[in-house]
Amino acid sequence: MNTTQGILMDAFFVAVLLWCSYTDLKSRTVSNMSVVILLCLGLVHTILVALSGGTWWVYPAGMLLGIPFLIAWLKGEMGGGDVKLIIGIGLYLGWVRTLVSFALMLPVLIACMVRFWLKIGTVNSTIPFAPVFAFGAGSMLLVGYVDIILL
């Protein structure tokens, strides 16, 4: 995959994540259409990496990182749209970059929990996860571009 394709795909990926974040903040839902777009984008990304001779299997493997979130959804601790969103992010970023995005989103998640604790005295509140996931995934992409620029 050439650099221009990668930049355009990453920009579209971030745009869809922003859409998901906006709808999650406004209506507490993640639209199925946005998830389908993310999955298609991830599939195209995987195919382009495979055609260029890259290690393609890391991208579908990233979807497996959604399993803990699926379990949380089954227990009623998370929304189904959030689970579908993380599966789409995992397919696009691959398993290693998705793990890094999880680490990058932790400070935001902790800040949300502290905010709820200070505001209402408990952390048992619903948090819109799409903006948190979008922050982690977008930060991961930014770190990749900074790494390219510095090298």
Side-chain angles (χ1 to χ4, degrees):
M1 177 168 39
N2 68 39
T3 306
T4 304
Q5 286 173 333
I7 291 171
L8 290 174
M9 288 185 71
D10 287 348
F12 192 55
F13 176 72
V14 169
V16 175
L17 290 178
L18 290 173
W19 173 26
C20 293
S21 298
Y22 178 78
T23 59
D24 197 22
L25 288 170
K26 290 294 182 189
S27 64
R28 305 301 289 219
T29 60
V30 175
S31 76
N32 287 333
M33 181 58 73
S34 64
V35 173
V36 168
I37 291 170
L38 282 178
L39 290 172
C40 289
L41 195 59
L43 184 61
V44 168
H45 185 244
T46 302
I47 291 169
L48 289 174
V49 168
L51 290 175
S52 68
T55 309
W56 63 270
W57 61 267
V58 298
Y59 298 99
M63 293 174 26
L64 297 175
L65 295 174
I67 292 173
F69 299 95
L70 178 63
I71 293 168
W73 173 70
L74 291 172
K75 291 182 176 185
E77 298 171 0
M78 177 174 259
D82 296 323
V83 176
K84 292 182 281 186
L85 178 62
I86 199 64
I87 289 170
I89 289 171
L91 178 60
Y92 187 82
L93 293 180
W95 71 275
V96 173
R97 295 187 333 161
T98 301
L99 283 175
V100 172
S101 78
F102 288 167
L104 293 171
M105 75 177 182
L106 277 178
V108 175
L109 190 57
I110 291 169
C112 288
M113 292 172 66
V114 167
R115 180 181 170 267
F116 281 119
W117 181 69
L118 292 174
K119 187 174 180 179
I120 57 177
T122 182
V123 293
N124 292 335
S125 183
T126 59
I127 296 173
F129 282 108
V132 176
F133 292 152
F135 176 81
S139 297
M140 176 60 240
L141 291 175
L142 185 62
V143 165
Y145 283 110
V146 168
D147 187 38
I148 290 170
I149 292 169
L150 293 177
L151 292 177

